Amino acid sequence: NAGVTQTPKFQVLKTGQSMTLQCAQDMNHEYMSWYRQDPGMGLRLIHYSVGAGITDQGEVPNGYNVSRSTTEDFPLRLLSAAPSQTSVYFCASSYSRGVFYGYTFGSGTRLTVV
Amino acid sequence: TQLLEQSPQFLSIQEGENLTVYCNSSSVFSSLQWYRQEPGEGPVLLVTVVTGGEVKKLKRLTFQFGDARKDSSLHITAAQPGDTGLYLCAGGDGNEKLTFGTGTRLTIIP
């Protein structure tokens, strides 16, 4: 099925470890973004990309890196995991058409840092 | 930073009742969206409104964008257990970046 695919679904890391959360979409969407969702705080934007080779920071970028080498893939890298990064991470994509028609979200990665 | 406040934070009502959820901000948005999220899944887009005063209906759900484009409401008529979920509003600032509200967790009791 077409959509946004995130892997892994669940992950436990030790403090200081690094890892990459994978995100891929097959809808030829130009715009992709990463959000984290924490209880009582809604969804907060980490990084986003308006096309291949172009990325920018969102509201909470510290401790995360991204790259966009292809239209389809937008991985999120945690450089040195900290307990404060325990969260549910969502990748989302959309067309970039001027009038914004909304995101398609992946099903999320639940990350626990111990 | 633009903020979106949703109220109520939690709502539990009986099947068949009507309800309204509110989304308010001091900032003007170029568009306003509503999403519904179920446990273990990502949010799913319900509607996008882009014109002040716009009203959109999706079966038993009615969405309204405030005249000043700073607020929105979601009204559900004759709620059903399938309406249970986390409802999120999100404001757009003219590009694809969205500011999300804190959410309303709705439970419909059969």
Side-chain angles (χ1 to χ4, degrees):
Chain A
N1 293 333
V4 178
T5 301
Q6 289 185 238
T7 56
K9 185 79 171 174
F10 301 94
Q11 183 70 50
V12 178
L13 288 179
K14 293 182 179 179
T15 297
Q17 287 184 318
S18 62
M19 78 160 294
T20 300
L21 279 63
Q22 301 292 343
C23 175
Q25 53 92 8
D26 58 2
M27 299 171 285
N28 202 31
H29 285 172
E30 295 175 8
Y31 187 85
M32 296 186 74
S33 59
W34 277 101
Y35 283 87
R36 59 178 289 174
Q37 186 173 35
D38 302 292
M41 301 188 72
L43 287 155
R44 292 182 292 168
L45 181 64
I46 305 171
H47 285 286
Y48 67 97
S49 169
V50 298
I54 306 170
T55 64
D56 205 346
Q57 296 181 352
E59 180 185 355
V60 288
N62 292 340
Y64 308 95
N65 273 356
V66 293
S67 60
R68 184 94 180 270
S69 57
T70 67
T71 299
E72 294 78 19
D73 300 300
F74 191 43
L76 177 72
R77 283 182 290 277
L78 278 70
L79 308 174
S80 177
S84 61
Q85 294 179 303
T86 293
S87 187
V88 182
Y89 291 85
F90 288 100
C91 178
S93 71
S94 75
Y95 288 110
S96 180
R97 293 180 176 173
V99 177
F100 182 45
Y101 288 101
Y103 289 145
T104 299
F105 280 86
S107 58
T109 295
R110 184 174 294 273
L111 175 68
T112 302
V113 182
V114 297
Chain B
T1 302
Q2 297 173 307
L3 296 175
L4 276 168
E5 299 281 345
Q6 285 188 240
S7 61
Q9 188 176 0
F10 298 95
L11 183 59
S12 181
I13 64 171
Q14 295 287 335
E15 181 178 0
E17 293 183 346
N18 302 332
L19 67 107
T20 301
V21 175
Y22 300 93
C23 174
N24 294 293
S25 176
S26 58
S27 302
V28 175
F29 291 101
S30 61
S31 65
L32 199 293
Q33 302 178 344
W34 286 91
Y35 292 79
R36 184 170 73 198
Q37 185 179 17
E38 300 190 10
E41 298 295 329
V44 175
L45 180 67
L46 296 174
V47 75
T48 299
V49 285
V50 297
T51 305
E54 183 176 0
V55 177
K56 281 192 175 180
K57 290 190 175 183
L58 185 66
K59 297 184 180 179
R60 294 177 293 100
L61 278 61
T62 301
F63 305 86
Q64 184 165 7
F65 200 12
D67 291 340
R69 290 186 289 130
K70 293 182 178 181
D71 56 86
S72 181
S73 63
L74 159 61
H75 182 78
I76 300 179
T77 302
Q80 298 178 0
D83 296 327
T84 293
L86 178 66
Y87 288 81
L88 296 162
C89 66
D93 61 356
N95 56 35
E96 287 72 21
K97 289 173 63 177
L98 289 183
T99 298
F100 279 85
T102 50
T104 294
R105 191 165 297 280
L106 175 63
T107 302
I108 308 301
I109 303 166

